[in-house]
Amino acid sequence: MSTSISSLTPYFIVKNARVAIDFYSRAFGAEELFRMTDPRDGRIGHAELKIGESTVMIADEYPDFGALSPDTIGGSPVTFHLATLAVDADLARAVDAGAVVLRAAADQGYGERVAMVVDPFGHRWMLSQKIEDVAPEEMQRRWNEQTGA
């Protein structure tokens, strides 16, 4: 199948991008690549962060063209999956930076140790550490067993 799409980059809209950039640096080790500040009011109109091998874009709210944060619209259905080598340590780091635990770290039948947090800006993060290789058929068998199906 041919496509013209070459990558997908999340673009976060938040109420206070300066504070969010600081949070993502402390919580997830984000490195700020650059930012552009709106000369009219000082809002961050665009910034780029590096988290692991991924780039994340971030900006303050611009309601005039629909750029609204999860807090403004009552939450987000999107969860960001963050692959990590040490879920427990990374969970503690995120909580220390201000994240709230939604699901404590636990081993899952699909071969990952997983935790979930929500950051202070309304974005949910699933922290996931691979702990074993599990074939899809075995994942389904374990799920069926767990749910009594």
Side-chain angles (χ1 to χ4, degrees):
M1 181 166 123
S2 131
T3 179
S4 61
I5 299 169
S6 63
S7 68
L8 174 68
T9 303
Y11 206 126
F12 296 0
I13 304 300
V14 297
K15 282 193 175 183
N16 189 334
R18 280 181 181 74
V19 173
I21 290 168
D22 179 62
F23 169 82
Y24 295 131
S25 296
R26 290 182 293 115
F28 305 128
E31 172 193 352
E32 183 176 340
L33 302 176
F34 74 94
R35 75 173 68 179
M36 295 187 307
T37 303
D38 191 325
R40 297 169 297 179
D41 57 18
R43 286 181 292 176
I44 293 177
H46 179 83
E48 293 186 10
L49 310 176
K50 194 79 162 177
I51 299 177
E53 297 178 18
S54 301
T55 299
V56 174
M57 297 177 186
I58 189 169
D60 278 303
E61 288 187 311
Y62 280 82
D64 53 314
F65 64 87
L68 302 170
S69 73
D71 288 340
T72 297
I73 62 173
S76 171
V78 176
T79 298
F80 296 97
H81 182 273
L82 188 63
T84 177
L85 299 175
V87 160
D88 295 282
D90 291 329
L91 175 61
R93 181 175 163 177
V95 169
D96 286 346
V100 174
V101 175
L102 297 177
R103 188 166 56 172
D107 295 350
Q108 303 297 318
Y110 46 87
E112 295 178 7
R113 183 164 179 78
V114 173
M116 188 177 299
V117 299
V118 63
D119 69 32
F121 312 95
H123 296 284
R124 286 189 320 266
W125 296 79
M126 178 183 286
L127 285 65
S128 179
Q129 174 185 352
K130 184 176 181 179
I131 55 175
E132 68 173 312
D133 288 318
V134 182
E137 300 80 17
E138 178 62 12
M139 288 181 204
Q140 185 66 56
R141 187 195 68 72
R142 290 177 183 182
W143 195 12
N144 292 352
E145 186 177 281
Q146 178 185 4
T147 60

